[in-house]
Amino acid sequence: MIKWILYVVMACVVGGTWMIYLNSGSAIKEKTEEVRKLQEIGDPDGKITALESVIQTLSGQQTFNGILLAIVTAGVIGVFFVLHILPNCVQRVTHAIYDSSEMVDRDFMHDARSLMAQGDYQGAIEAFREAAKADPLNRLPWVEIAKIYKSHLGDPGSAVKTIRLALESQEWEVNDAAYFLFRLAELYDEVEGNRPAAVAIMQQVIDQFPMTRHSANANHKLHDWGMDKYLGANNQG
């Protein structure tokens, strides 16, 4: 509502400025015509000088009104640009950047979650795999597939294979790669009871990402598992 009131006010200002500008032009034209007629018939009363002075004054006013009109029009255009054109441009750029991932979340990810809710876990796995293909830098589909295998299908071996396949599928950012390695270690230790394999993966994190929070977390995990001797032996080797 306030926006439309602003538009009405701006329209009135622009319209009023145009009227003043046009009226000054009409007055100049009228006075100029009077001077022409007096020049044709003579000027016994000496009115031409006064009329020329009025014309000069009106011309100055018209010039000022023209400048004012240009300023007001530019201001209206600027307000319109800021309120309408600029947001539309920003929206288009934003959509151009994020539409791909939004489409993935709206289509494949949404379908996968719907299938999970219906208990169609194999269908959900396929949908998550399609999501991974459509958005290769998104680790979430891989994580969800591993969760389905582990929690719903009772198949931790396939969960392990899923995480390994994700790790090998491309060059991940450090945070993503470390995340996958930690999940893999958890699967080996908590589900398969294969702590040596989990320890080896934690050591891989330490070696692969030294001087990072991931390395520190891996050291902490090994300490919790009572693997300090293992760490010491590896560091000596």
Side-chain angles (χ1 to χ4, degrees), residues 115-117 119-126 148 152-153:
L115 291 168
M116 281 187 64
D120 184 0
Y121 299 121
Q122 289 296 340
I125 288 173
E126 292 304 317
I148 292 174
H152 298 287
L153 299 180

Side-chain angles (χ1 to χ4, degrees), residues 7-62:
Y7 289 156
V8 171
V9 172
M10 290 190 300
C12 291
V13 171
V14 173
T17 307
W18 267 108
M19 289 298 297
I20 294 172
Y21 181 79
L22 294 175
N23 287 339
S24 61
S26 297
I28 292 173
K29 185 177 180 180
E30 180 183 341
K31 299 301 180 183
T32 302
E33 182 63 19
E34 289 183 26
V35 170
R36 187 186 66 77
K37 290 180 180 180
L38 287 173
Q39 288 174 341
E40 290 179 354
I41 64 175
D43 185 22
D45 299 327
K47 294 182 179 180
I48 291 178
T49 301
L51 288 171
E52 288 178 342
S53 177
V54 172
I55 291 172
Q56 185 176 3
T57 300
L58 290 173
S59 296
Q61 291 177 351
Q62 187 182 41

